[in-house]
Amino acid sequence: MTDCFIYGGRTDAAPIVLVTSSNLSRATKKLTSQQINWLNQNAFTGKPGCLCAIPSEDGGVERYLVGIDDIEDPFAIADLPKRLPEGVYALEGSGVRSNLESLAVGWGLGSYSFTRYKKNGVIKAKLKLPNSSDHQRIQETVAATYRVRDLINTPAEDMMPQHLSAVVAELAQTHEAEFSEIVGDDLLAENYPSIHTVGRASVHPPRLIEMLWGNSKHPLVTLVGKGITFDSGGLDIKPAAGMRSMKKDMGGAAHAIGLAQLIMALELPVRLRLLVASAENAISSNAFRPGDVIRTRSGITVEIENTDAEGRLVLCDALSDACDEQPDLLVDFATLTGAARVAVGTEMAAYFCNDRELADLVRETGRETYDPTWELPLHKGYESYLKSHVADLQNAANTPFGGAITAALYLQRFVDDNVRWLHFDIMAWNNRARSGRPIGGEAMGMRAMLVALEKRYLK
Ligand code: BES
Ligand code: ZN
Ligand code: ZN
């Protein structure tokens, strides 16, 4: 749990005054001439990233000044927990009160470290929040992001389909949701052939994990996650450099689980269905092969062009199942293609959507939450790249171009036209450290999607 906050009470807190270069003179009005001298000698200009401790007469610290440029940006102060010494702090400055929730979330995200295998510098700076703030929303947003990061950062050996299943089962118990799953050969009996095909070579059997929560009278929101716990590429084996990061290939599942956790904790008025399609894409004598044909759950036959395009295979059976219930909204998250990162870089969540209003909403909430999202087109003209000589479809295009689009078009073939659908193709990983975002697993688009859901269903 996140213990980087202290709520109200009488605890003394060192003030952190947020200043922008334009309000520097106002912020320094209360200071003595010695203190202003100190600021100057420490080259404190109010530029973003500057931090200066102002000494008190007794040799302690009277307050901290921190330069920021955008007070609405939760990450403006998110590097502070790692820069400040142990202690309790409180934010001050113009605009702090109206942006406190987002700043506190930033503080929380910046207090994260992955400690399962190594004491990665436990952070001891705590932020004091006034009683008036929405503690629960702050706490739950931070906790869900930690959940996503922890799931992704955990090595494949300790994060196989059965581990994802245990996480969902526990979550279901906490929130009084129904949990069920279909494991191993039962996937064949229950008609999820493509999930089974991808996962059959692993000693850890594949699973379709399901959770159902909420009032059945509320609109149904179905979340689907790609839970490939390790993507070796299968027989069309991945080059070493690409394989190195593939413990994160369950990142989509982590996002779907994290968002489900948020929806339940914040009690959104929806009926929630979570489907995690989980398998290890392993190599063994019984592995699926290029040229094999799968008769998928929907009846559409798919020729395997490349066993490394496995995400869309586990997802297609889950999406067909999801559509049977005619959800009001169907959202899937997947680390689906390398091409999405070529298109938008590694720090934005690319998405595709068959509904204009929803697409615009997610773009907008991405901007508002500083959780950047960018829409890519479901360009019908590229559908012909998925034609196969022997089956209805092939699982990958024979061109290196537009890979995120052809993958999304593949998925769309399994989604009913009358189901509102949004597909996230995400990186789920920080390649470099930024304020509040350490290297490693990351939630991308999850906060944006939560706010989009709130705007749609909390009216
Ligand atoms: N998990 C990968 C995609 C991926 C790679 C996501 C790197 C994030 C970072 C996926 O299963 C895959 O291997 N996709 C192939 C598809 C290709 C074979 C058509 C890709 O993108 O190269
Ligand atoms: Zn792959
Ligand atoms: Zn993959």
Side-chain angles (χ1 to χ4, degrees):
M1 218 34 196
T2 48
D3 56 0
C4 55
F5 301 118
I6 286 189
Y7 299 108
R10 271 190 244 283
T11 325
D12 281 340
I16 298 174
V17 183
L18 305 186
V19 296
T20 56
S21 25
S22 58
N23 76 6
L24 182 60
S25 57
R26 188 145 49 100
T28 53
K29 230 183 217 158
K30 283 191 219 143
L31 302 180
T32 63
S33 56
Q34 283 99 323
Q35 287 174 325
I36 292 184
N37 198 17
W38 174 262
L39 277 184
N40 290 334
Q41 287 187 353
N42 282 280
F44 184 87
T45 55
K47 284 212 178 94
C50 293
L51 168 66
C52 190
I54 308 225
S56 58
E57 276 180 9
D58 62 0
V61 176
E62 186 192 285
R63 69 184 67 201
Y64 292 85
L65 291 197
V66 172
I68 61 165
D69 62 352
D70 177 3
I71 195 147
E72 292 178 5
D73 181 352
F75 298 105
I77 59 146
D79 60 341
L80 293 181
K82 288 191 175 159
R83 292 173 75 189
L84 291 168
E86 179 171 0
V88 178
Y89 301 87
L91 297 174
E92 287 182 7
S94 64
V96 163
R97 199 173 307 166
S98 49
N99 293 293
L100 194 64
E101 184 181 317
S102 116
L103 292 168
V105 166
W107 179 283
L109 300 185
S111 302
Y112 175 83
S113 52
F114 182 56
T115 53
R116 178 159 169 176
Y117 305 91
K118 176 179 165 188
K119 293 275 157 285
N120 256 330
V122 177
I123 292 156
K124 291 184 175 158
K126 293 181 191 293
L127 183 66
K128 183 174 157 179
L129 293 172
N131 285 324
S132 57
S133 51
D134 188 345
H135 302 166
Q136 201 205 4
R137 203 162 189 287
I138 295 166
Q139 188 82 26
E140 295 298 348
T141 305
V142 173
T145 309
Y146 281 25
R147 160 89 73 189
V148 174
R149 290 174 177 177
D150 281 347
L151 288 172
I152 298 171
N153 286 332
T154 303
E157 179 65 13
D158 292 329
M159 193 47 68
M160 280 291 154
Q162 66 272 24
H163 300 104
L164 280 178
S165 156
V167 168
V168 177
E170 197 204 301
L171 201 58
Q173 199 165 31
T174 306
H175 296 280
E176 294 177 357
E178 290 166 48
F179 170 88
S180 63
E181 62 181 339
I182 303 169
V183 184
D185 288 347
D186 285 353
L187 288 165
L188 290 178
E190 304 277 346
N191 193 24
Y192 298 90
S194 47
I195 301 176
H196 183 271
T197 300
V198 170
R200 74 186 185 205
S202 172
V203 293
H204 305 287
R207 294 173 188 238
L208 178 65
I209 303 160
E210 178 174 1
M211 183 174 70
L212 254 179
W213 172 88
N215 185 335
S216 56
K217 295 203 180 71
H218 287 155
L220 177 63
V221 173
T222 301
L223 305 180
V224 175
K226 168 179 172 182
I228 298 296
T229 57
F230 189 74
D231 183 9
S232 70
L235 289 173
D236 284 0
I237 191 165
K238 263 191 195 308
M243 203 191 297
R244 177 64 183 85
S245 61
M246 283 300 120
K247 69 171 181 180
K248 74 159 175 160
D249 215 21
M250 34 55 69
H255 279 66
I257 293 169
L259 183 56
Q261 176 178 327
L262 265 172
I263 290 170
M264 296 189 297
L266 299 178
E267 296 187 58
L268 253 64
V270 297
R271 170 78 162 164
L272 174 68
R273 185 170 189 226
L274 169 72
L275 290 172
V276 172
S278 187
E280 180 191 5
N281 190 16
I283 297 173
S284 185
S285 57
N286 66 337
F288 73 126
R289 316 158 191 84
D292 284 355
V293 174
I294 308 175
R295 189 175 299 276
T296 63
R297 179 176 185 78
S298 67
I300 297 172
T301 56
V302 175
E303 183 184 15
I304 304 306
E305 170 62 26
N306 192 315
T307 62
D308 200 7
E310 84 299 335
R312 59 198 83 179
L313 295 173
V314 297
L315 286 174
C316 70
D317 280 356
L319 290 172
S320 313
D321 178 329
C323 286
D324 290 346
E325 311 275 312
Q326 294 285 299
D328 183 62
L329 188 56
L330 172 58
V331 184
D332 78 73
F333 291 91
T335 50
L336 200 63
T337 68
R341 274 122 297 277
V342 176
V344 300
T346 60
E347 294 169 5
M348 304 189 89
Y351 67 92
F352 298 82
C353 187
N354 65 2
D355 181 86
R356 190 70 260 135
E357 201 185 330
L358 177 63
D360 291 344
L361 179 64
V362 168
R363 170 88 190 98
E364 188 57 38
T365 57
R367 223 191 323 254
E368 281 173 16
T369 54
Y370 291 74
D371 186 11
T373 53
W374 197 265
E375 188 187 4
L376 296 178
L378 287 163
H379 177 58
K380 290 266 179 249
Y382 297 159
E383 259 185 1
S384 55
Y385 286 122
L386 295 170
K387 278 192 182 140
S388 155
H389 297 295
V390 300
D392 298 329
L393 273 179
Q394 58 182 29
N395 77 329
N398 302 100
T399 162
F401 301 114
I405 301 175
T406 48
L409 288 170
Y410 174 94
L411 296 181
Q412 194 174 23
R413 286 290 296 270
F414 299 85
V415 174
D416 287 358
D417 284 340
N418 57 355
V419 170
R420 209 175 278 107
W421 167 63
L422 195 136
H423 154 58
F424 277 103
D425 191 337
I426 43 171
M427 177 68 179
W429 191 266
N430 293 320
N431 277 343
R432 56 170 181 167
R434 287 175 296 153
S435 173
R437 289 151 293 190
I439 287 174
E442 185 60 286
M444 297 182 171
M446 183 180 72
R447 287 181 299 111
M449 196 61 225
L450 175 75
V451 175
L453 292 174
E454 288 176 329
K455 290 197 178 184
R456 184 172 172 86
Y457 296 110
L458 278 181
K459 283 202 182 127

